[in-house]
Amino acid sequence: MTGMTSDHGLTIAELAELPEVGASILYAGSDGSARVGLACAIDIPDPTRWIEGGELVVTTGAALGTDEGAWTSYVQGVSTSRAVGLLLVVGPSLPLQEVPAGLISIVQAHELPLLVARHRAALTDIMRAINARALESERTDYQESYALQVRLTAIITRGGGVDALLREWADSTGETGVVSDRTGRVIATTPQVSGDPAVLASLARDRHPPLGLTETVRLEGESYGVVPLAGELTIRGFLVTEAHHTQVAQLALPTLTSLLALEFERRWFLGEGERRQRAQNVCRLLGMTTESGARSFLRSLGLGTPSLWGVVVGAATETQAEVVLDDLAVVLATPLLRHRGKTVECLAATDPVRLLRGYGFDGPVGVGTAAEPGRAAVTMRQAAAAMETSRRTGGLISYVDGASHRFLMEVADPEYLAAFSAGVLAPIESSAQGEVLLETLHVWLREGRSLEACAARLGVHRHTVRNRIHRVMQLTGSSLDTTDAQTELWLALKARGMDEGGTS
């Protein structure tokens, strides 16, 4: 029980009543409920390296004498090492006959309980008496913890589930806890949980440690322990508990977390049939070619949505893809999901961008544009293209419907775009009528290279438009009859910020 005192250990007051110790309390300290662990005798000036926490330090003061400075340093070391108290043994045949002057003031300054034993009993007899009681208390802790672990295991083997586990935990330990899934959705709580369960679940999702570790986090002045619950090598959920456990609870905590992880795995396997059905729904909808048939199928699933958004997420492994699949089912509340290898695909009934950014997927994420149900295959293809771009550039990428140029503008490096635009448009901009020529070129390209439509839009004669376009050709040295030349100029104008409605 290194660094942890027993739940049944003696308090300072109870220890003072042991006849075989024969101690009296000179200073009780501020925490009368603190329990004593093992007793350790330390008669050297620096006690810190021998204290792990929770011990009662016993000394005769042999190395300290009546030196107030030495006692101050000694008491400070005992206190900062988290010992629960100091027992000074004095007597006629011992180094000190009485308690040194000023010692009580020193322990009071460090809030360290001080006891004194005034008799001729051997120091070993005092240590033996204290440690015998400590070991008996420790044995009781192990017995109670073992019994609790048996009860917790029985709950799972009998199909009791997470709620029953947490109720037993709270009843047996008096401690509170919250269990959530990977998305931060609360699965179960103990009665009268400390703190807002939803806030604690979000805290676990956002600040959890790696698998196998426990992270202590603070929220509104309270400390909580966050434990990831594993499924194979993937986090399935989280347990948030009080950060400072009783000894019985600390001994039983690994069993609780293991059983919770087992329950998450059981739930996942039980959901295999539902996952297959969701994948079939996606395949069927993507294969539909009529709007009426697609809408009728969605109504049969309880969805009356007028639009769908494709979402494609890339995972590192197939196991991670399975976890992401279940996460998306919760985050996007959709029955239209599947995974193929390490790629997860789904169709969301509401715009998923805000929800996905709030969740924070680690891998590449692409989102298609809103599409009618009969065009579900189109938005899924868009999402796949956006996901591949996300794989290269990072972050969530949304496809821009019907405007591949704009999509490329959004995912390209801004500095590169600025340099590209400046290089292509520089000959035009530096001419005498550069601004007018750029506007005319933009409108002409937008109007499908129609002189008449461009002239009407600008309010000039068609011959004026022809002369301006001819001047652009002279300045750039390119024939505007080729697709490559038109595309280069159009991309440069887009990068400059000229949109469909006119100049930026």
Side-chain angles (χ1 to χ4, degrees):
M1 302 206 313
T2 301
M4 173 69 69
T5 55
S6 167
D7 299 343
H8 302 87
L10 296 170
T11 64
I12 293 294
E14 291 169 339
L15 185 145
E17 294 176 357
L18 291 179
E20 55 266 52
V21 175
S24 59
I25 300 175
L26 297 187
Y27 174 65
S30 58
D31 186 7
S33 64
R35 296 188 180 276
V36 176
L38 295 173
C40 59
I42 306 177
D43 261 339
I44 58 175
D46 181 8
T48 54
R49 62 178 295 189
W50 307 105
I51 303 173
E52 296 180 341
E55 299 94 338
L56 175 71
V57 175
V58 182
T59 182
T60 63
L64 306 171
T66 58
D67 186 337
E68 187 169 332
W71 275 107
T72 299
S73 177
Y74 185 87
V75 169
Q76 182 177 359
V78 172
S79 177
T80 56
S81 299
R82 297 179 293 109
V84 297
L86 178 64
L87 171 60
L88 174 62
V89 183
V90 298
S93 60
L94 295 173
L96 294 177
Q97 308 299 307
E98 295 292 337
V99 177
L103 180 55
I104 295 179
S105 297
I106 295 172
V107 296
Q108 286 176 335
H110 292 86
E111 292 289 334
L112 182 70
L114 173 64
L115 300 93
V116 61
R118 304 172 183 273
H119 55 66
R120 299 180 180 179
L123 186 61
T124 54
D125 294 336
I126 296 175
M127 297 279 293
R128 187 180 298 111
I130 296 174
N131 288 338
R133 298 297 291 266
L135 292 173
E136 177 62 24
S137 299
E138 188 175 316
R139 185 179 69 85
T140 303
D141 287 339
Y142 276 100
Q143 288 176 333
E144 290 189 5
S145 177
Y146 174 75
L148 172 57
Q149 293 173 61
V150 170
R151 293 195 299 273
L152 293 174
T153 304
I155 288 171
I156 289 298
T157 56
R158 295 169 184 169
V162 176
D163 289 292
L165 269 180
L166 290 188
R167 282 197 303 272
E168 180 60 41
W169 177 261
D171 290 344
S172 299
T173 66
E175 299 189 6
T176 62
V178 174
V179 173
S180 63
D181 64 14
R182 279 170 47 92
T183 68
R185 181 181 57 168
V186 175
I187 301 299
T189 69
T190 55
Q192 300 178 336
V193 65
S194 172
D196 185 332
V199 173
L200 293 176
S202 297
L203 185 74
R205 181 195 65 193
D206 298 335
R207 298 172 58 182
H208 66 83
L211 284 175
L213 300 177
T214 298
E215 182 81 14
T216 299
V217 297
R218 292 189 63 80
L219 179 66
E220 297 180 352
E222 299 292 334
S223 296
Y224 299 92
V226 177
V227 185
L229 305 173
E232 295 185 6
L233 298 177
T234 303
I235 293 175
R236 296 287 192 195
F238 306 100
L239 169 65
V240 184
T241 65
E242 298 175 2
H244 305 292
H245 301 294
T246 64
Q247 177 68 351
V248 170
Q250 180 156 307
L251 291 169
L253 186 61
T255 296
L256 175 65
T257 55
S258 296
L259 293 172
L260 286 170
L262 180 63
E263 179 63 10
F264 269 95
E265 283 295 283
R266 186 183 70 84
R267 289 185 176 201
W268 189 86
F269 282 112
L270 289 177
E272 181 59 29
E274 181 181 355
R275 281 189 289 274
R276 283 198 298 268
Q277 183 60 56
R278 293 186 309 211
Q280 292 172 6
N281 291 340
V282 173
C283 292
R284 185 174 174 184
L285 184 59
L286 293 178
M288 291 184 173
T289 57
T290 65
E291 186 62 31
S292 59
R295 289 186 180 276
S296 176
F297 176 64
L298 287 180
R299 283 194 296 271
S300 72
L301 299 177
L303 297 175
T305 178
S307 300
L308 293 172
W309 285 260
V311 176
V312 178
V313 179
T317 64
E318 288 195 29
T319 299
Q320 186 186 33
E322 294 170 349
V323 174
V324 170
L325 186 78
D326 288 347
D327 288 355
L328 285 176
V330 175
V331 173
L332 302 180
T334 175
L336 302 168
L337 306 99
R338 69 179 180 182
H339 83 87
R340 296 187 293 176
K342 295 184 287 187
T343 301
V344 181
E345 302 171 325
C346 79
L347 291 162
T350 58
D351 189 344
V353 172
R354 180 181 60 82
L355 296 172
L356 291 171
R357 282 181 175 153
Y359 177 84
F361 285 101
D362 295 333
V365 183
V367 178
T369 60
E372 295 181 340
R375 300 181 70 249
V378 174
T379 186
M380 190 69 87
R381 286 197 296 271
Q382 292 173 345
M387 189 274 288
E388 290 302 326
T389 302
S390 172
R391 195 186 299 279
R392 295 189 297 273
T393 64
L396 184 150
I397 300 296
S398 295
Y399 194 87
V400 181
D401 189 22
S404 298
H405 300 122
R406 190 185 307 165
F407 174 63
L408 292 173
M409 294 302 106
E410 290 186 0
V411 302
D413 181 80
E415 293 184 2
Y416 169 78
L417 286 176
F420 166 75
S421 177
V424 173
L425 302 180
I428 304 173
E429 289 182 302
S430 61
S431 67
Q433 292 184 305
E435 186 174 337
V436 172
L437 292 177
L438 283 179
E439 181 184 17
T440 301
L441 175 64
H442 177 244
V443 175
W444 180 71
L445 289 170
R446 184 162 52 83
E447 295 295 339
R449 302 181 306 282
S450 169
L451 295 176
E452 290 76 9
C454 180
R457 175 79 66 170
L458 295 175
V460 298
H461 196 276
R462 61 191 299 272
H463 293 309
T464 301
V465 174
R466 180 185 290 111
N467 291 335
R468 291 176 181 176
I469 296 301
H470 182 70
R471 179 59 177 154
V472 168
M473 293 173 60
Q474 290 178 324
L475 291 169
T476 60
S478 301
S479 170
L480 296 187
D481 293 332
T482 66
T483 301
D484 286 345
Q486 294 167 16
T487 300
E488 184 178 65
L489 287 167
W490 183 245
L491 281 172
L493 291 168
K494 285 286 188 182
R496 182 56 53 86
M498 292 183 171
D499 57 26
E500 295 296 328
T503 58
S504 60

